[in-house]
Amino acid sequence: MSIEEAQLKIVLPGDIIPADEPSEENEEKPIIRLGPGLIHAQDSVVSVSAGILQHHNVGNRWWVDNNKRRYVPALGEPVIGIITGKHAESYRVDIGSAQPAMLPALAFEGATKRNRPNLNVGSLVYARVSLANKDMEPELECVNPTSGKSEGYGELKDGFMFKCSLGLCRKLLNPKSPVLVALGSHFPFETAVGMNGRVWVNSTDTQHIILLTNAIKNSEYLNEKQIKEMVKELVHRL
């Protein structure tokens, strides 16, 4: 079974998914970036968890989608963390993984030794995983490494943070997420979705924040039509 044929297929731990063979026009094998649930084993891609094999065209990224309880950090994934400790040059951050993460004080847009953010214990941050190694504690950054800009990363002020399944978070990160599109047609709001099972929402009205939380949680097992009807009913109750 080729990796193209494996798209949206259910895989189990130990399943071997051979990489694509090079075409006649391109003698080199295409670069495949693996996310959670997949590892390289010699010339093959092997599943290490049960779930649905997923693919994203941008960067040719593959991962296994499931609702595991504990988050395993993966390079480049966005996460929502809670500051649990302050040090001279870094912060200790709870991201829901087996080990707390480290966030350097200079890993922010425009940060210098004299001018850097002052985060307090309990503050929420939206960050990107910059180092993910099973033998080391994960590291975070609040900038896009390509542009050097924050691009939405940084401290999350006000609003409300709640937990949901890792599978739902992946759905919410889709720019065309049905529930976010449906909610956006009724009132403006802000949202930040972490791949570690945490979602932050904010709006000008407290009732809207409550509605956002309930609608997102209720949408996990609904189809697009059911989501629209559910959102319309919740808005009508306001």
Side-chain angles (χ1 to χ4, degrees), residues 13 22 31 33 35 54 80 87 95 124 134 163 181 185 202 227 234:
I31 297 175
R33 292 177 172 82
Q54 299 282 13
I80 295 177
H87 303 283
I95 59 172
L124 294 178
K134 65 179 181 179
K163 297 180 180 180
V181 171
S185 65
N202 191 23
I227 288 175
L234 290 176

Coordinates of all heavy atoms in Angstrom, one line a residue, residues 13 22 31 33 35 54 80 87 95 124 134 163 181 185 202 227 234:
P13 N -0.9 0.3 15.4 CA 0.5 0.3 15.7 C 1.3 -0.9 15.0 O 0.8 -2.0 15.0 CB 0.5 0.1 17.2 CG -0.7 0.7 17.7 CD -1.7 0.3 16.6
P22 N 9.9 7.2 -6.4 CA 10.2 8.3 -7.3 C 9.6 8.1 -8.7 O 9.5 7.0 -9.2 CB 11.7 8.4 -7.4 CG 12.1 7.0 -7.0 CD 11.1 6.5 -6.1
I31 N 10.0 14.5 -0.2 CA 10.3 14.7 1.2 C 8.9 14.5 2.0 O 8.0 15.2 1.6 CB 10.9 16.0 1.5 CG1 12.3 16.1 0.8 CG2 11.0 16.3 3.0 CD1 12.9 17.5 1.0
R33 N 7.1 14.8 5.7 CA 7.2 15.2 7.1 C 6.2 14.5 7.9 O 5.0 14.6 7.6 CB 7.1 16.8 7.2 CG 8.2 17.5 6.5 CD 7.9 19.0 6.5 NE 9.1 19.8 6.0 CZ 9.4 20.0 4.7 NH1 8.6 19.5 3.8 NH2 10.5 20.6 4.4
G35 N 4.2 13.6 11.4 CA 3.7 14.2 12.6 C 3.4 13.1 13.7 O 4.0 12.0 13.6
Q54 N -3.8 10.8 8.2 CA -4.2 12.1 7.6 C -3.1 12.7 6.9 O -1.9 12.4 7.2 CB -4.7 13.1 8.7 CG -5.9 12.6 9.5 CD -7.2 12.8 8.8 OE1 -7.2 13.1 7.6 NE2 -8.3 12.7 9.5
I80 N -1.3 25.9 23.4 CA -1.7 26.9 24.4 C -1.1 26.4 25.7 O -1.4 25.3 26.2 CB -3.2 27.0 24.5 CG1 -3.7 27.6 23.2 CG2 -3.5 27.9 25.7 CD1 -5.2 27.7 23.2
H87 N 12.0 32.2 35.4 CA 13.4 32.1 35.6 C 14.1 33.4 35.0 O 13.4 34.1 34.3 CB 14.0 30.8 35.1 CG 13.4 29.6 35.6 ND1 13.7 29.1 36.9 CD2 12.5 28.8 35.1 CE1 12.9 28.0 37.1 NE2 12.2 27.8 36.0
I95 N 2.1 22.5 29.1 CA 1.4 22.3 27.8 C 0.6 21.0 27.8 O 0.1 20.5 26.7 CB 2.3 22.4 26.6 CG1 3.4 21.3 26.7 CG2 2.9 23.8 26.5 CD1 4.3 21.2 25.4
L124 N -1.6 32.8 30.2 CA -1.7 31.9 29.0 C -0.9 32.4 27.9 O -0.8 33.7 27.6 CB -3.2 31.9 28.5 CG -4.2 31.2 29.5 CD1 -5.6 31.3 28.9 CD2 -3.9 29.8 29.8
K134 N 12.2 13.2 22.5 CA 11.7 12.3 23.6 C 12.7 12.3 24.8 O 12.4 12.0 25.9 CB 11.5 10.9 23.1 CG 12.7 10.2 22.6 CD 12.4 8.8 22.2 CE 13.6 8.0 21.7 NZ 13.2 6.6 21.3
K163 N -10.7 22.9 27.6 CA -10.1 21.7 27.0 C -11.1 20.9 26.2 O -12.3 20.9 26.4 CB -9.6 20.8 28.1 CG -8.5 21.4 29.0 CD -8.0 20.5 30.1 CE -6.9 21.1 31.0 NZ -6.5 20.1 32.0
V181 N -16.9 28.9 11.1 CA -17.5 29.7 10.0 C -18.9 30.0 10.3 O -19.3 31.2 10.1 CB -17.4 28.9 8.7 CG1 -18.3 29.6 7.6 CG2 -16.0 28.7 8.2
S185 N -20.5 34.0 11.3 CA -21.5 34.7 10.5 C -22.5 35.4 11.4 O -23.4 36.2 10.9 CB -22.3 33.7 9.6 OG -23.0 32.8 10.4
N202 N -12.4 34.5 22.8 CA -12.7 35.8 23.3 C -13.6 36.6 22.4 O -13.6 36.4 21.2 CB -11.4 36.6 23.5 CG -11.5 37.8 24.3 OD1 -12.4 37.9 25.1 ND2 -10.6 38.8 24.1
I227 N -24.3 21.2 12.5 CA -23.6 22.3 13.2 C -24.3 23.6 12.9 O -24.4 24.4 13.8 CB -22.1 22.3 12.7 CG1 -21.3 21.1 13.2 CG2 -21.4 23.6 13.1 CD1 -19.9 21.0 12.7
L234 N -28.5 28.0 19.3 CA -27.8 28.7 20.4 C -27.9 30.2 20.3 O -28.1 30.9 21.3 CB -26.4 28.2 20.5 CG -26.1 26.7 20.9 CD1 -24.7 26.4 20.8 CD2 -26.6 26.5 22.3

